[in-house]
């Protein structure tokens, strides 16, 4: 009986050791503001917001959505349990085209081609905690009478 256990125990130890040495095939170490994170192979989005510190957004191999910003100490998962294949765009949000700057939004796309947004309201300085679907890739994540303008942004490969 003990002889049969030895190969099994060795196989379990070897599998555990390999599991700690091998990362998922689609995980890539990405750096933004000197902060490293394991994300998928899609580019991360660096956004220069009109009002707040610059911010990076990325998607992990699991599909979870992450962000970090100037002065942060780590990558943080976005609230709302969102899932995506990549980050698509970011928007500064205004009360109306000539009005008050009231927030910011980020848009992601799923593997099925659906687009979702999350919004941060400057009045509370918190993300909405939910991801809402928008109809098309050209949607600005803002519903009338609010106005979304494409934020200055770059894809980092």
């Amino acid at each position: 009986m003990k002889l049969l256990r030895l190969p099994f125990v060795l196989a379990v130890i070897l599998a555990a050791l390999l599991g700690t040495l091998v990362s998922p095939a689609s995980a890539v170490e990405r750096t933004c503001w000197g902060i490293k994170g394991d994300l998928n192979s899609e580019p991360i989005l660096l956004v220069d917001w009109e009002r707040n510190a610059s911010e990076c957004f990325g998607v992990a191999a699991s599909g979870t959505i992450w962000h970090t910003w100037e002065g942060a100490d780590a990558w943080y998962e976005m609230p709302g349990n969102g899932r995506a294949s990549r980050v698509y765009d970011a928007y500064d949000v205004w009360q109306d085209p000539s009005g008050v700057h009231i927030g910011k939004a980020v848009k992601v796309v799923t593997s099925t081609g659906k687009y979702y947004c999350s919004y941060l309201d400057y009045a509370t300085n918190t993300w909405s905690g939910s991801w809402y679907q928008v109809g098309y890739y050209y949607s600005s994540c803002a519903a009338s009478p609010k106005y979304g303008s494409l934020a200055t942004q770059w894809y980092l490969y």
Side-chain angles (χ1 to χ4, degrees), residues 25-43:
S26 59
V28 177
E29 186 177 86
R30 301 296 182 125
T31 303
C32 185
W33 304 116
I35 302 167
K36 295 179 181 179
D38 290 328
L39 302 173
N40 68 12
S41 59
E42 295 291 333

Side-chain angles (χ1 to χ4, degrees), residues 67-85:
H67 68 140
T68 191
W69 53 93
E70 241 178 315
D73 61 351
W75 283 86
Y76 293 91
E77 187 173 356
M78 293 283 294
N81 201 31
R83 296 290 185 273
S85 58

Side-chain angles (χ1 to χ4, degrees), residues 14-149:
L14 183 58
L17 180 60
L18 287 174
T20 61
L21 297 176
V22 178
S23 61
S26 59
V28 177
E29 186 177 86
R30 301 296 182 125
T31 303
C32 185
W33 304 116
I35 302 167
K36 295 179 181 179
D38 290 328
L39 302 173
N40 68 12
S41 59
E42 295 291 333
I44 59 176
L45 186 68
L46 170 59
V47 182
D48 183 16
W49 298 113
E50 282 285 326
R51 183 167 162 179
N52 278 3
S54 296
E55 192 167 5
C56 283
F57 295 89
V59 176
S62 64
T64 54
I65 305 156
W66 295 76
H67 68 140
T68 191
W69 53 93
E70 241 178 315
D73 61 351
W75 283 86
Y76 293 91
E77 187 173 356
M78 293 283 294
N81 201 31
R83 296 290 185 273
S85 58
R86 70 182 179 97
V87 180
Y88 193 78
D89 271 329
Y91 300 89
D92 286 298
V93 180
W94 308 85
Q95 187 61 45
D96 57 59
S98 61
V100 178
H101 193 197
I102 59 172
K104 60 186 180 181
V106 63
K107 185 186 337 179
V108 297
V109 62
T110 67
S111 60
T112 59
K114 293 182 179 173
Y115 295 86
Y116 292 86
C117 295
S118 184
Y119 173 74
L120 181 137
D121 186 338
Y122 286 142
T124 61
N125 199 35
T126 56
W127 288 96
S128 62
S130 64
W131 290 85
Y132 53 95
Q133 188 173 356
V134 292
Y136 300 99
Y137 67 91
Y138 54 80
S139 169
S140 69
C141 294
S144 183
K146 296 176 184 171
Y147 173 77
S149 62

